Amino acid sequence: MDTDYIKRYGKLPAVADAIQLKETFRENEKLQDAKEALLKMPLSSRDVEDAALRLDKFAPLIMRLFPETACMKGQIESPLVEIKSFKRNYGNNVPGRFFIKQDSELQVAGSVKARGGIYEVLKHTEDLALSAGLIDREDDYAKLASTRCREFFSRHTIQVGSTGNLGLSIGISAAALGYRTIIHMSADAKQWKKDLLRKKGAEVREYETDYLEAVKQGREDSAKSKNSYFIDDENSKDLFLGYAVAAKRLKAQLEEKGIYTDAEHPLFVYIPCGVGGAPGGITFGLKTLFDNNVHCFFTEPVRSCCMLIGMATGLHNQVSVQDFGIDGKTYADGLAVSRPSGFVGELMEPLLSGIFTISDERLDSILRDLYTSEGIYIEPSACAAFAPVVCGREQLKGYIEKHVHGQKDGITHVFWATGGSLVPECLRKELLGKAYKELGQ
Ligand SMILES: *Cc1c(COP(=O)(O)O)cnc(C)c1O
């Protein structure tokens, strides 16, 4: 706890709520015109396009390594589904339609991390293989699955620090290519995630400490060893761009449903936030496509609301939730991060509409209600996406009144379900316990 910080910032309304562990909403008063803001950024829509093209180039290799992606021709993408029954329960006075973006069903890694994590592994692989002369740019990248290439990758290491899902995404994809992979897991990481990684051939190092410490150890270990590459969740532009590709894919899915985003038909997107890379990348991508017609919100657990604290104080990664006497512990393991990415926080300053927080106690009932009403299973962290309609409804309605002029029924709400499909059946049953009983199963 840092009394100076509390003295200086503790009276800001959202920070005051955060300190008292109260659910809150902070509207970002630094939001700017999207086009102008994007012009000043170090990354552009061209970088996102480049990442999208690279993923297309790798699709034949992905299909070879992960046959479950064959039906999508090697593209890793998730469904967008309307949730009408859920809306009847939770969205009564919220104008517009509700959709869930099921990254919980993304192939290979079962979470949003399949976007950024796998992209960065592929980007690194391309760099290595090009400089070693294993491929040239015109080649079919499926060549990278050959014995010769695997032998080459086995002499290289990829490392990452993770609360679980990033480790799964990088561990599974890097091990499939033949790399030696070392995953530094924080104390929050669930046992089943560690077990699964070991089964896939990754080496798991466990820490008693939190995510930041696991990242720090990983970074240090990697710097000391030869041929080792560290994927840096806090600062990586490649991870960020991998996430950003989601925007273009979402746009196509909306249009397939006849939804064209404009001023009369704005898009509202809610994404759970840990260190910020995934929701930040997706927000960046969406802003490059829809500028002021998309309103992006992050959602965080009350006890690890690091991005809210970072953005409200403007101090980003210089402050942690512990500085404000908040313990950083949450049942939403994927979001158990105490200090936000400074790189992402700064990029989000002119782009993000706001941040909602939610108490851990609500996550299980959202999990069950979504399952009973829609038959969709997501993990507890992903349930945080629903904060705006579960505990922030009045604030959300206030925001809509203020920012959406005229007709409000044209709003499309997208709740980003960030993980779930890899949760083992026995744990699922435990979490769903009550729901199963209600359904008589
Ligand atoms: C990692 C993760 C997030 C948030 O991503 P960050 O890049 O850490 O902000 C959200 N939900 C789940 C399930 C995750 O695993």
Side-chain angles (χ1 to χ4, degrees):
M1 186 133 80
D2 188 316
T3 45
D4 274 355
Y5 281 137
I6 293 179
K7 241 187 253 158
R8 278 182 63 193
Y9 302 104
K11 294 216 174 61
L12 297 170
V15 178
D17 286 342
I19 292 171
Q20 292 170 57
L21 305 182
K22 273 189 0 211
E23 290 167 333
T24 191
F25 170 62
R26 174 173 185 273
E27 187 176 339
N28 176 24
E29 79 279 4
K30 291 189 181 157
L31 180 70
Q32 287 175 19
D33 176 73
K35 282 207 178 83
E36 278 174 35
L38 287 167
L39 278 177
K40 294 180 208 137
M41 297 209 162
L43 296 169
S44 73
S45 59
R46 240 205 258 130
D47 298 307
V48 185
E49 195 49 38
D50 179 58
L53 290 174
R54 183 166 291 106
L55 285 171
D56 290 345
K57 191 115 209 276
F58 270 102
L61 176 70
I62 293 180
M63 202 155 73
R64 174 90 62 94
L65 297 175
F66 303 103
E68 70 266 34
T69 63
C71 55
M72 307 264 289
K73 299 203 166 61
Q75 192 183 74
I76 297 174
E77 195 44 73
S78 73
L80 176 74
V81 175
E82 185 160 17
I83 41 172
K84 285 189 179 163
S85 311
F86 186 86
K87 185 175 188 222
R88 249 174 262 129
N89 300 338
Y90 282 101
N92 257 337
N93 315 311
V94 182
R97 291 165 74 183
F98 281 16
F99 289 84
I100 185 168
K101 179 62 179 150
Q102 283 183 276
D103 276 7
S104 43
E105 298 299 318
L106 278 178
Q107 299 94 336
V108 184
S111 82
V112 69
K113 302 297 192 310
R115 299 183 183 282
I118 295 175
Y119 175 71
E120 183 155 355
V121 168
L122 296 175
K123 170 81 167 55
H124 176 64
T125 298
E126 183 184 53
D127 292 344
L128 276 181
L130 284 171
S131 62
L134 289 171
I135 47 165
D136 57 11
R137 287 193 191 275
E138 281 62 52
D139 275 339
D140 176 350
Y141 282 10
K143 251 174 97 174
L144 292 165
S146 68
T147 319
R148 177 163 166 255
C149 292
R150 288 186 68 83
E151 201 277 321
F152 171 79
F153 295 135
S154 72
R155 285 180 270 122
H156 290 78
T157 307
I158 292 185
Q159 310 202 34
V160 68
S162 171
T163 62
N165 285 339
L166 186 62
L168 280 179
S169 136
I170 285 166
I172 293 172
S173 56
L177 278 158
Y179 288 100
R180 179 175 176 220
T181 57
I182 304 175
I183 315 295
H184 303 262
M185 289 284 223
S186 66
D188 305 283
K190 297 276 179 276
Q191 189 59 43
W192 69 265
K193 293 183 180 174
K194 299 178 198 169
D195 295 342
L196 180 58
L197 269 172
R198 289 190 171 117
K199 210 173 98 195
K200 299 275 181 184
E203 182 181 328
V204 177
R205 298 207 182 136
E206 300 178 62
Y207 297 88
E208 299 282 309
T209 48
D210 73 354
Y211 162 79
L212 288 170
E213 200 45 42
V215 169
K216 187 161 159 265
Q217 271 302 321
R219 198 182 278 136
E220 283 171 16
D221 286 6
S222 186
K224 273 186 253 158
S225 42
K226 210 168 69 137
N227 288 346
S228 178
Y229 181 73
F230 183 71
I231 293 185
D232 189 336
D233 200 7
E234 292 172 87
N235 301 301
S236 167
K237 294 202 172 54
D238 287 330
L239 264 181
F240 188 84
L241 291 171
Y243 290 124
V245 172
K248 188 181 146 169
R249 310 252 181 98
L250 179 71
K251 180 168 188 266
Q253 289 180 319
L254 287 167
E255 289 177 358
E256 263 167 40
K257 296 183 193 298
I259 299 171
Y260 294 85
T261 303
D262 57 26
E264 281 75 50
H265 305 88
L267 188 61
F268 277 59
V269 183
Y270 314 102
I271 321 166
C273 176
V275 73
I282 294 169
T283 295
F284 180 81
L286 288 169
K287 283 288 181 180
T288 64
L289 294 180
F290 301 118
D291 51 72
N292 296 337
N293 298 325
V294 65
H295 302 259
C296 300
F297 299 86
F298 291 178
T299 65
E300 294 188 297
V302 158
R303 287 163 67 187
S304 61
C305 56
C306 64
M307 191 59 80
L308 183 140
I309 295 279
M311 290 187 77
T313 58
L315 294 175
H316 302 296
N317 60 339
Q318 295 160 46
V319 282
S320 68
V321 295
Q322 282 83 6
D323 290 334
F324 289 81
I326 305 167
D327 65 8
K329 294 197 171 22
T330 170
Y331 163 58
D333 54 324
L335 313 178
V337 178
S338 299
R339 190 183 293 271
S341 158
F343 153 65
V344 174
E346 280 173 32
L347 282 185
M348 288 301 107
E349 257 179 15
L351 300 180
L352 192 69
S353 288
I355 301 181
F356 289 88
T357 63
I358 184 167
S359 303
D360 278 13
E361 294 74 55
R362 294 194 198 264
L363 300 175
D364 272 350
S365 61
I366 298 173
L367 191 147
R368 292 190 200 105
D369 290 349
L370 188 67
Y371 186 76
T372 45
S373 62
E374 302 286 347
I376 293 174
Y377 180 84
I378 62 177
E379 64 182 87
S381 300
C383 295
F386 292 96
V389 293
V390 172
C391 52
R393 206 178 309 171
E394 291 315 309
Q395 290 102 319
L396 175 63
K397 276 158 56 186
Y399 179 96
I400 291 173
E401 271 312 311
K402 194 163 139 195
H403 294 272
V404 180
H405 307 296
Q407 250 256 68
K408 302 187 177 27
D409 292 334
I411 300 177
T412 298
H413 303 268
V414 175
F415 301 89
W416 214 283
T418 44
S421 71
L422 294 186
V423 176
E425 192 56 31
C426 56
L427 255 177
R428 258 184 214 223
K429 285 207 167 130
E430 196 180 299
L431 291 171
L432 284 170
K434 206 167 130 237
Y436 270 93
K437 273 186 220 123
E438 280 163 12
L439 287 176
Q441 287 180 350

